[in-house]
Amino acid sequence: MTLLAEVADIQTGPFGSQLHKKDYVASGRPIVTVEHLGKRAFTRQNLPFVSEFDAERLKKYQMKHGDVIFSRVGSVDRCSYAEKRNEGWLFSGRCLRIRPKKSIDPEFLYYYLSSKAIKGFVRNIAVGATMPSINTTLMGEIPIPAISLDRQRAIACIMSSLDIKLQANAKLNGYLAELAQTIYNDWFRDFGHWGGQMPSHWETGVLGDYVTVKRGGSPRPIQEYLSDEGLRWLKIADVSGISGPYILEIKEHIKEEGLRKTVHLEPGSLVLSNSATPGIPKILSIDTCIHDGWLYFPQSQFTNEWLYCYFLNVRQELVRMANGSVFQNLKTDIVKNFEVIRPDDETLASFQEMVAPLFNLMESCQKENKQLADLRDTLLPKLMSGEIDVSKVDLTQLNSHLTER
């Protein structure tokens, strides 16, 4: 057993004195922040950029293939892996860069650091109750098992093969979601299906004319109701990292005594976030209780799929109407009084017939990815402990799928 500081160089990103938000530009060299971590590949949504001049000025903060970028503040257990395509990217001052030495395989180190055991270890050593943080010294104390390089590479190869399938499913889901939204926009926003003009027999009104909008509820004080088991308790954090339409997993629970002070929803319900990060629509694949940071729709003349596309289409407008000094709050009345077009039943049925298979496939892909992610998390400790002997695994075929990396 050794320590991370002995097998890798650890560096903090540039602080405010070296790089300010005002230095961000519309296009240039990407800079990764905490919100872009959490999966093997960096999330590209809302990725900021710096100029080539600043990228050169901050050259020591650039990434190389094989670096692991770790969150330093807040969600201190989030990390991602720098591929060849990320070389030259930068990382922010809220992140740490872990650059492996020759004594450890970079991909193995990433999978080890992203394991549940090490995530728990990092959360325990973090300092600060309100805003947990870690530094290079604390990070350097992570224990690293003594495993031969050949075995490290074999483990990384097996884990990478699972990630390839996960990424392929996620990519397919992205295409399906884009297709569904394109169909919605063409039919109900641009009226391209009708020559650019809204059919005269369609109605215009507000959402509350056609949909019952209600708010969830919270038993208080909530700390007295939180539990390791019981009724599922949906939080905004459960959906912020999910790219697909469906919620398959919820981490927290509340005691059954809290049921009378909250709202319990069955699978197949659509919810909309109304606080913190408002305007996110999701469809439940499992039952859960929802707090007052969620809206739900017990009666509707529209299908879940139609409403999901509708909320994505108008989300930016809804967010602009949200209020609140600390957190944005999307009040029920704002949603009820938001403008909507009510097509005829035949058109709605035709749309549903077209997009339902797309949503069904997205749900299947999300479920398969959950199973694959669970398998990956289960396999890793068994591979590392030697419980599964990787020396007998033929890695030739697996390696052929990894040549693109």
Side-chain angles (χ1 to χ4, degrees):
M1 188 70 71
T2 185
L3 298 179
L4 181 61
E6 299 172 24
V7 298
D9 295 319
I10 309 170
Q11 182 171 354
T12 304
F15 288 102
S17 59
Q18 299 164 299
L19 182 68
H20 300 271
K21 281 190 175 181
K22 64 180 177 61
D23 296 319
Y24 292 170
V25 294
S27 63
R29 197 75 65 87
I31 179 166
V32 170
T33 68
V34 173
E35 71 174 286
H36 303 105
L37 308 178
K39 296 182 180 179
R40 173 169 170 140
F42 301 113
T43 301
R44 289 178 173 265
Q45 187 174 7
N46 299 322
L47 194 66
F49 300 90
V50 295
S51 67
E52 291 298 328
F53 173 81
D54 280 332
E56 187 62 26
R57 177 174 64 86
L58 301 169
K59 191 171 184 178
K60 71 175 183 178
Y61 301 108
Q62 292 182 15
M63 300 181 202
K64 290 183 179 179
H65 181 202
D67 288 347
V68 180
I69 307 300
F70 218 97
S71 171
R72 186 182 66 82
V73 180
S75 301
V76 292
D77 58 0
R78 302 178 67 175
C79 64
S80 292
Y81 182 78
E83 305 281 2
K84 286 183 179 179
R85 61 180 176 269
N86 305 126
E87 288 200 349
W89 289 26
L90 291 92
F91 59 103
S92 77
R94 297 171 70 86
C95 300
L96 295 172
R97 184 187 65 200
I98 302 166
R99 179 162 289 172
K101 298 178 181 178
K102 292 182 179 181
S103 56
I104 192 166
D105 180 77
E107 282 191 303
F108 167 80
L109 180 60
Y110 161 72
Y111 285 112
Y112 177 68
L113 292 176
S114 62
S115 67
K116 287 185 176 180
I118 296 304
K119 284 184 175 183
F121 180 88
V122 172
R123 287 193 296 269
N124 286 334
I125 64 173
V127 295
T130 305
M131 183 64 72
S133 65
I134 53 175
N135 54 38
T136 56
T137 301
L138 292 172
M139 200 72 186
E141 295 174 358
I142 294 177
I144 305 295
I147 298 177
S148 70
L149 270 173
D150 285 343
R151 197 165 128 214
Q152 289 179 27
R153 289 168 183 148
I155 291 171
C157 193
I158 293 170
M159 293 293 102
S160 292
S161 68
L162 293 174
D163 264 339
I164 287 174
K165 178 59 176 172
L166 284 163
Q167 290 171 13
N169 280 350
K171 192 172 184 178
L172 174 59
N173 255 18
Y175 289 144
L176 294 170
E178 185 177 351
L179 178 57
Q181 199 65 39
T182 298
I183 296 170
Y184 175 91
N185 291 342
D186 179 59
W187 284 31
F188 307 116
R189 187 191 68 185
D190 304 327
F191 311 116
H193 199 60
W194 290 271
Q197 295 291 327
M198 186 185 83
S200 58
H201 62 285
W202 288 10
E203 299 177 7
T204 57
V206 295
L207 194 63
D209 293 336
Y210 312 105
V211 178
T212 302
V213 183
K214 291 193 173 183
R215 193 173 185 173
S218 300
R220 289 187 171 86
I222 187 58
Q223 289 77 12
E224 295 182 7
Y225 290 90
L226 294 176
S227 174
D228 292 333
E229 56 184 20
L231 301 167
R232 294 186 184 91
W233 184 240
L234 181 64
K235 301 185 71 175
I236 302 295
D238 291 313
V239 305
S240 57
I242 300 175
S243 57
Y246 293 92
I247 298 174
L248 306 174
E249 186 176 18
I250 294 171
K251 296 178 181 178
E252 292 195 2
H253 297 78
I254 60 169
K255 300 173 184 177
E256 292 191 6
E257 302 90 271
L259 181 58
R260 62 188 178 86
K261 296 183 179 181
T262 185
V263 175
H264 182 264
L265 297 179
E266 296 294 332
S269 303
L270 183 135
V271 294
L272 182 75
S273 62
N274 72 344
S275 65
T277 309
I280 300 176
K282 293 294 175 184
I283 302 171
L284 300 176
S285 287
I286 52 178
D287 68 292
T288 185
C289 293
I290 60 168
H291 56 63
D292 49 13
W294 294 99
L295 301 179
Y296 69 106
F297 314 92
Q299 294 179 312
S300 174
Q301 295 183 26
F302 305 112
T303 64
N304 282 341
E305 291 79 6
W306 194 95
L307 276 177
Y308 179 86
C309 292
Y310 166 78
F311 282 128
L312 286 184
N313 185 57
V314 302
R315 187 187 175 202
Q316 294 306 315
E317 296 174 66
L318 285 172
V319 170
R320 281 196 292 269
M321 297 175 70
N323 53 42
S325 57
V326 180
F327 292 110
Q328 288 184 307
N329 189 357
L330 190 60
K331 292 183 178 180
T332 306
D333 285 344
I334 293 176
V335 178
K336 284 182 179 178
N337 294 309
F338 203 81
E339 291 184 357
V340 69
I341 293 169
R342 205 299 189 182
D344 60 85
D345 289 342
E346 184 179 352
T347 299
L348 288 174
S350 297
F351 174 79
Q352 183 65 15
E353 184 178 0
M354 186 172 291
V355 301
L358 303 180
F359 276 82
N360 290 338
L361 187 51
M362 281 190 277
E363 185 176 22
S364 296
C365 284
Q366 282 189 243
K367 287 181 176 178
E368 183 178 25
N369 269 13
K370 183 181 182 305
Q371 292 172 344
L372 289 170
D374 290 344
L375 174 62
R376 182 188 58 192
D377 293 341
T378 302
L379 274 178
L380 184 58
K382 295 181 184 295
L383 291 168
M384 291 181 54
S385 67
E387 185 177 340
I388 298 177
D389 185 3
V390 295
S391 64
K392 297 180 181 180
V393 177
D394 183 4
L395 300 176
T396 305
Q397 188 174 3
L398 288 177
N399 274 313
S400 68
H401 293 295
L402 301 175
T403 53
E404 65 188 56
R405 293 195 180 282

mmCIF file of all heavy atoms in Angstrom, residues 203 206-212 297-304 306-307 340-345 348-349 352:
data_model
loop_
_atom_site.group_PDB
_atom_site.id
_atom_site.type_symbol
_atom_site.label_atom_id
_atom_site.label_comp_id
_atom_site.label_asym_id
_atom_site.label_seq_id
_atom_site.Cartn_x
_atom_site.Cartn_y
_atom_site.Cartn_z
ATOM 1 N N GLU A 203 -56.725 25.876 -30.213
ATOM 2 C CA GLU A 203 -57.012 26.865 -29.176
ATOM 3 C C GLU A 203 -55.720 27.478 -28.640
ATOM 4 O O GLU A 203 -54.653 26.860 -28.682
ATOM 5 C CB GLU A 203 -57.767 26.213 -28.009
ATOM 6 C CG GLU A 203 -59.108 25.620 -28.358
ATOM 7 C CD GLU A 203 -59.744 24.929 -27.160
ATOM 8 O OE1 GLU A 203 -59.190 25.044 -26.044
ATOM 9 O OE2 GLU A 203 -60.779 24.273 -27.341
ATOM 10 N N VAL A 206 -53.864 29.375 -21.457
ATOM 11 C CA VAL A 206 -52.777 29.224 -20.490
ATOM 12 C C VAL A 206 -52.775 27.780 -20.011
ATOM 13 O O VAL A 206 -53.788 27.065 -20.117
ATOM 14 C CB VAL A 206 -52.925 30.200 -19.305
ATOM 15 C CG1 VAL A 206 -52.794 31.635 -19.779
ATOM 16 C CG2 VAL A 206 -54.236 29.978 -18.573
ATOM 17 N N LEU A 207 -51.649 27.345 -19.487
ATOM 18 C CA LEU A 207 -51.492 25.936 -19.134
ATOM 19 C C LEU A 207 -52.559 25.478 -18.146
ATOM 20 O O LEU A 207 -53.066 24.354 -18.231
ATOM 21 C CB LEU A 207 -50.092 25.704 -18.558
ATOM 22 C CG LEU A 207 -49.657 24.235 -18.446
ATOM 23 C CD1 LEU A 207 -49.573 23.585 -19.817
ATOM 24 C CD2 LEU A 207 -48.314 24.134 -17.721
ATOM 25 N N GLY A 208 -52.917 26.351 -17.206
ATOM 26 C CA GLY A 208 -53.914 25.990 -16.202
ATOM 27 C C GLY A 208 -55.294 25.700 -16.771
ATOM 28 O O GLY A 208 -56.134 25.091 -16.092
ATOM 29 N N ASP A 209 -55.557 26.099 -18.020
ATOM 30 C CA ASP A 209 -56.837 25.788 -18.661
ATOM 31 C C ASP A 209 -56.948 24.304 -18.988
ATOM 32 O O ASP A 209 -58.054 23.768 -19.095
ATOM 33 C CB ASP A 209 -56.999 26.582 -19.966
ATOM 34 C CG ASP A 209 -57.131 28.081 -19.729
ATOM 35 O OD1 ASP A 209 -57.540 28.464 -18.618
ATOM 36 O OD2 ASP A 209 -56.813 28.848 -20.645
ATOM 37 N N TYR A 210 -55.791 23.644 -19.159
ATOM 38 C CA TYR A 210 -55.784 22.273 -19.656
ATOM 39 C C TYR A 210 -55.079 21.287 -18.724
ATOM 40 O O TYR A 210 -55.183 20.081 -18.909
ATOM 41 C CB TYR A 210 -55.089 22.220 -21.027
ATOM 42 C CG TYR A 210 -55.581 23.279 -21.974
ATOM 43 C CD1 TYR A 210 -54.804 24.402 -22.265
ATOM 44 C CD2 TYR A 210 -56.835 23.175 -22.568
ATOM 45 C CE1 TYR A 210 -55.254 25.381 -23.132
ATOM 46 C CE2 TYR A 210 -57.299 24.164 -23.439
ATOM 47 C CZ TYR A 210 -56.511 25.264 -23.710
ATOM 48 O OH TYR A 210 -56.967 26.233 -24.566
ATOM 49 N N VAL A 211 -54.361 21.831 -17.747
ATOM 50 C CA VAL A 211 -53.546 20.992 -16.868
ATOM 51 C C VAL A 211 -53.724 21.457 -15.424
ATOM 52 O O VAL A 211 -53.731 22.657 -15.147
ATOM 53 C CB VAL A 211 -52.042 21.092 -17.250
ATOM 54 C CG1 VAL A 211 -51.198 20.260 -16.295
ATOM 55 C CG2 VAL A 211 -51.822 20.627 -18.689
ATOM 56 N N THR A 212 -53.874 20.504 -14.505
ATOM 57 C CA THR A 212 -53.893 20.830 -13.074
ATOM 58 C C THR A 212 -52.458 20.888 -12.580
ATOM 59 O O THR A 212 -51.710 19.916 -12.698
ATOM 60 C CB THR A 212 -54.670 19.766 -12.281
ATOM 61 O OG1 THR A 212 -56.003 19.684 -12.788
ATOM 62 C CG2 THR A 212 -54.716 20.128 -10.806
ATOM 63 N N PHE A 297 -48.532 17.219 -11.930
ATOM 64 C CA PHE A 297 -49.683 17.483 -12.786
ATOM 65 C C PHE A 297 -50.652 16.301 -12.746
ATOM 66 O O PHE A 297 -50.617 15.424 -13.622
ATOM 67 C CB PHE A 297 -49.202 17.759 -14.214
ATOM 68 C CG PHE A 297 -48.030 18.726 -14.250
ATOM 69 C CD1 PHE A 297 -46.723 18.257 -14.233
ATOM 70 C CD2 PHE A 297 -48.244 20.088 -14.236
ATOM 71 C CE1 PHE A 297 -45.654 19.132 -14.230
ATOM 72 C CE2 PHE A 297 -47.187 20.985 -14.239
ATOM 73 C CZ PHE A 297 -45.872 20.508 -14.226
ATOM 74 N N PRO A 298 -51.514 16.241 -11.717
ATOM 75 C CA PRO A 298 -52.388 15.075 -11.532
ATOM 76 C C PRO A 298 -53.424 14.889 -12.631
ATOM 77 O O PRO A 298 -53.885 13.763 -12.863
ATOM 78 C CB PRO A 298 -53.055 15.359 -10.182
ATOM 79 C CG PRO A 298 -52.959 16.837 -9.988
ATOM 80 C CD PRO A 298 -51.693 17.248 -10.648
ATOM 81 N N GLN A 299 -53.820 15.957 -13.316
ATOM 82 C CA GLN A 299 -54.766 15.856 -14.420
ATOM 83 C C GLN A 299 -54.264 16.703 -15.580
ATOM 84 O O GLN A 299 -53.825 17.840 -15.389
ATOM 85 C CB GLN A 299 -56.161 16.333 -13.996
ATOM 86 C CG GLN A 299 -56.817 15.436 -12.947
ATOM 87 C CD GLN A 299 -58.185 15.963 -12.530
ATOM 88 O OE1 GLN A 299 -58.331 17.143 -12.231
ATOM 89 N NE2 GLN A 299 -59.177 15.080 -12.514
ATOM 90 N N SER A 300 -54.335 16.145 -16.792
ATOM 91 C CA SER A 300 -53.786 16.857 -17.938
ATOM 92 C C SER A 300 -54.450 16.382 -19.229
ATOM 93 O O SER A 300 -54.741 15.198 -19.395
ATOM 94 C CB SER A 300 -52.277 16.633 -18.041
ATOM 95 O OG SER A 300 -51.756 17.203 -19.221
ATOM 96 N N GLN A 301 -54.699 17.326 -20.135
ATOM 97 C CA GLN A 301 -55.196 16.999 -21.460
ATOM 98 C C GLN A 301 -54.047 16.675 -22.420
ATOM 99 O O GLN A 301 -54.277 16.352 -23.584
ATOM 100 C CB GLN A 301 -56.032 18.157 -22.020
ATOM 101 C CG GLN A 301 -57.302 18.431 -21.234
ATOM 102 C CD GLN A 301 -58.156 19.531 -21.847
ATOM 103 O OE1 GLN A 301 -58.097 19.772 -23.058
ATOM 104 N NE2 GLN A 301 -58.949 20.202 -21.012
ATOM 105 N N PHE A 302 -52.823 16.773 -21.893
ATOM 106 C CA PHE A 302 -51.640 16.445 -22.682
ATOM 107 C C PHE A 302 -50.964 15.200 -22.099
ATOM 108 O O PHE A 302 -51.066 14.925 -20.900
ATOM 109 C CB PHE A 302 -50.633 17.604 -22.678
ATOM 110 C CG PHE A 302 -51.200 18.912 -23.141
ATOM 111 C CD1 PHE A 302 -51.358 19.978 -22.266
ATOM 112 C CD2 PHE A 302 -51.562 19.085 -24.469
ATOM 113 C CE1 PHE A 302 -51.863 21.191 -22.696
ATOM 114 C CE2 PHE A 302 -52.079 20.297 -24.910
ATOM 115 C CZ PHE A 302 -52.233 21.354 -24.022
ATOM 116 N N THR A 303 -50.223 14.483 -22.921
ATOM 117 C CA THR A 303 -49.449 13.341 -22.440
ATOM 118 C C THR A 303 -48.175 13.825 -21.764
ATOM 119 O O THR A 303 -47.755 14.980 -21.940
ATOM 120 C CB THR A 303 -49.066 12.405 -23.598
ATOM 121 O OG1 THR A 303 -48.199 13.122 -24.505
ATOM 122 C CG2 THR A 303 -50.301 11.907 -24.338
ATOM 123 N N ASN A 304 -47.538 12.937 -21.001
ATOM 124 C CA ASN A 304 -46.255 13.275 -20.378
ATOM 125 C C ASN A 304 -45.225 13.679 -21.421
ATOM 126 O O ASN A 304 -44.442 14.615 -21.214
ATOM 127 C CB ASN A 304 -45.725 12.084 -19.582
ATOM 128 C CG ASN A 304 -46.411 11.932 -18.241
ATOM 129 O OD1 ASN A 304 -47.018 12.875 -17.734
ATOM 130 N ND2 ASN A 304 -46.323 10.756 -17.654
ATOM 131 N N TRP A 306 -45.670 14.986 -24.415
ATOM 132 C CA TRP A 306 -45.945 16.311 -24.963
ATOM 133 C C TRP A 306 -45.533 17.390 -23.966
ATOM 134 O O TRP A 306 -44.873 18.372 -24.334
ATOM 135 C CB TRP A 306 -47.434 16.446 -25.299
ATOM 136 C CG TRP A 306 -47.747 17.629 -26.162
ATOM 137 C CD1 TRP A 306 -47.862 17.650 -27.522
ATOM 138 C CD2 TRP A 306 -47.974 18.986 -25.718
ATOM 139 N NE1 TRP A 306 -48.148 18.937 -27.961
ATOM 140 C CE2 TRP A 306 -48.225 19.774 -26.873
ATOM 141 C CE3 TRP A 306 -47.995 19.604 -24.472
ATOM 142 C CZ2 TRP A 306 -48.488 21.138 -26.809
ATOM 143 C CZ3 TRP A 306 -48.245 20.968 -24.415
ATOM 144 C CH2 TRP A 306 -48.492 21.724 -25.559
ATOM 145 N N LEU A 307 -45.915 17.204 -22.702
ATOM 146 C CA LEU A 307 -45.570 18.193 -21.681
ATOM 147 C C LEU A 307 -44.055 18.290 -21.480
ATOM 148 O O LEU A 307 -43.514 19.380 -21.271
ATOM 149 C CB LEU A 307 -46.243 17.843 -20.355
ATOM 150 C CG LEU A 307 -47.689 18.299 -20.164
ATOM 151 C CD1 LEU A 307 -48.229 17.798 -18.835
ATOM 152 C CD2 LEU A 307 -47.818 19.816 -20.259
ATOM 153 N N VAL A 340 -49.980 28.654 -23.743
ATOM 154 C CA VAL A 340 -49.855 27.353 -24.377
ATOM 155 C C VAL A 340 -50.843 27.262 -25.530
ATOM 156 O O VAL A 340 -51.901 27.915 -25.520
ATOM 157 C CB VAL A 340 -50.113 26.219 -23.350
ATOM 158 C CG1 VAL A 340 -51.576 26.183 -22.925
ATOM 159 C CG2 VAL A 340 -49.696 24.868 -23.916
ATOM 160 N N ILE A 341 -50.488 26.473 -26.527
ATOM 161 C CA ILE A 341 -51.381 26.173 -27.641
ATOM 162 C C ILE A 341 -51.981 24.799 -27.410
ATOM 163 O O ILE A 341 -51.258 23.853 -27.071
ATOM 164 C CB ILE A 341 -50.625 26.226 -28.985
ATOM 165 C CG1 ILE A 341 -50.196 27.653 -29.281
ATOM 166 C CG2 ILE A 341 -51.472 25.663 -30.123
ATOM 167 C CD1 ILE A 341 -49.224 27.758 -30.435
ATOM 168 N N ARG A 342 -53.282 24.682 -27.588
ATOM 169 C CA ARG A 342 -53.960 23.405 -27.385
ATOM 170 C C ARG A 342 -54.391 22.876 -28.768
ATOM 171 O O ARG A 342 -55.417 23.269 -29.317
ATOM 172 C CB ARG A 342 -55.180 23.592 -26.487
ATOM 173 C CG ARG A 342 -55.655 22.371 -25.711
ATOM 174 C CD ARG A 342 -56.064 21.222 -26.564
ATOM 175 N NE ARG A 342 -56.707 20.161 -25.787
ATOM 176 C CZ ARG A 342 -57.116 19.037 -26.313
ATOM 177 N NH1 ARG A 342 -56.960 18.781 -27.606
ATOM 178 N NH2 ARG A 342 -57.695 18.126 -25.546
ATOM 179 N N PRO A 343 -53.589 21.958 -29.362
ATOM 180 C CA PRO A 343 -53.969 21.380 -30.649
ATOM 181 C C PRO A 343 -55.206 20.488 -30.506
ATOM 182 O O PRO A 343 -55.624 20.145 -29.395
ATOM 183 C CB PRO A 343 -52.746 20.562 -31.055
ATOM 184 C CG PRO A 343 -51.628 21.070 -30.179
ATOM 185 C CD PRO A 343 -52.283 21.491 -28.904
ATOM 186 N N ASP A 344 -55.744 20.076 -31.620
ATOM 187 C CA ASP A 344 -56.893 19.169 -31.576
ATOM 188 C C ASP A 344 -56.442 17.770 -31.154
ATOM 189 O O ASP A 344 -55.256 17.432 -31.233
ATOM 190 C CB ASP A 344 -57.583 19.115 -32.946
ATOM 191 C CG ASP A 344 -56.641 18.629 -34.037
ATOM 192 O OD1 ASP A 344 -56.502 17.407 -34.207
ATOM 193 O OD2 ASP A 344 -56.023 19.473 -34.712
ATOM 194 N N ASP A 345 -57.394 16.948 -30.696
ATOM 195 C CA ASP A 345 -57.084 15.627 -30.164
ATOM 196 C C ASP A 345 -56.418 14.725 -31.204
ATOM 197 O O ASP A 345 -55.526 13.933 -30.875
ATOM 198 C CB ASP A 345 -58.355 14.956 -29.645
ATOM 199 C CG ASP A 345 -58.874 15.606 -28.374
ATOM 200 O OD1 ASP A 345 -58.093 16.329 -27.720
ATOM 201 O OD2 ASP A 345 -60.055 15.403 -28.034
ATOM 202 N N LEU A 348 -52.752 15.671 -31.450
ATOM 203 C CA LEU A 348 -52.036 15.211 -30.256
ATOM 204 C C LEU A 348 -51.815 13.702 -30.304
ATOM 205 O O LEU A 348 -50.746 13.205 -29.922
ATOM 206 C CB LEU A 348 -52.811 15.601 -28.998
ATOM 207 C CG LEU A 348 -52.808 17.086 -28.626
ATOM 208 C CD1 LEU A 348 -53.745 17.340 -27.447
ATOM 209 C CD2 LEU A 348 -51.401 17.575 -28.301
ATOM 210 N N ALA A 349 -52.822 12.964 -30.776
ATOM 211 C CA ALA A 349 -52.691 11.505 -30.874
ATOM 212 C C ALA A 349 -51.628 11.120 -31.902
ATOM 213 O O ALA A 349 -50.847 10.179 -31.692
ATOM 214 C CB ALA A 349 -54.038 10.876 -31.226
ATOM 215 N N GLN A 352 -48.231 11.759 -30.380
ATOM 216 C CA GLN A 352 -47.919 10.736 -29.390
ATOM 217 C C GLN A 352 -47.499 9.431 -30.065
ATOM 218 O O GLN A 352 -46.552 8.769 -29.623
ATOM 219 C CB GLN A 352 -49.131 10.493 -28.479
ATOM 220 C CG GLN A 352 -48.904 9.501 -27.357
ATOM 221 C CD GLN A 352 -47.874 9.992 -26.346
ATOM 222 O OE1 GLN A 352 -47.530 11.168 -26.326
ATOM 223 N NE2 GLN A 352 -47.380 9.080 -25.525
#
